[in-house]
Amino acid sequence: MAATYDFPSDLLAGQEELHQVRAELSALLKRLPWSVEPLDGFSDDNGWRKVERPASPGWSEDEQAEVEKLRRREHELAVFVSTHRYWSELTGTDRVQCRSALKHARESADEEESP
């Protein structure tokens, strides 16, 4: 059985928000055109595989601002989680295993709630 950890609530909340921000950023980037700046489409079959891109209208200022806001928040949360005082209580492999457990704490909680 895997070890269980008593994570502080602020650390759990930070990790959960980090998951949410990363999911939101990923979904946004998938919706946006492939190029930030307007660019013509291209086709290149000289490499090991053919690469094609349609013309890109680029990102609007609002879209660029939204991506920047999410990236900045992602960075803030990653720093908060990785430098949390809780980690100073652990050493070596315990810290590594605990960090991995934190990343999956949401999944574990979901499994415990399911009948």
Side-chain angles (χ1 to χ4, degrees):
M1 182 173 164
T4 57
Y5 300 95
D6 188 23
F7 296 113
S9 61
D10 64 331
L11 182 57
L12 282 168
Q15 181 66 51
E16 179 61 27
E17 187 179 350
L18 182 57
H19 283 306
Q20 292 170 355
V21 167
R22 285 181 172 161
E24 190 176 337
L25 179 58
S26 177
L28 176 61
L29 291 172
K30 286 178 183 175
R31 288 192 312 267
L32 292 175
W34 63 270
S35 175
V36 177
E37 299 294 324
L39 287 175
D40 294 333
F42 67 90
S43 179
D44 181 8
D45 58 0
N46 292 326
W48 62 277
R49 66 183 176 100
K50 186 174 184 174
V51 177
E52 291 183 312
R53 295 275 191 265
S56 173
W59 298 358
S60 70
E61 288 184 18
D62 289 343
E63 291 167 336
Q64 290 180 43
E66 182 67 14
V67 168
E68 180 60 28
K69 181 183 94 172
L70 289 170
R71 285 182 173 158
R72 185 173 290 121
R73 185 63 182 149
E74 177 187 28
H75 181 262
E76 291 169 357
L77 288 165
V79 169
F80 171 77
V81 169
S82 63
T83 62
H84 194 278
R85 66 189 175 280
Y86 179 74
W87 305 120
S88 65
E89 301 171 10
L90 304 165
T91 59
T93 58
D94 289 339
R95 186 181 294 173
V96 174
Q97 291 171 350
C98 187
R99 177 69 184 115
S100 181
L102 176 64
K103 289 179 181 180
H104 299 283
R106 173 178 55 173
E107 298 163 9
S108 298
D110 291 344
E111 289 173 5
E112 289 176 6
E113 291 175 7
S114 298

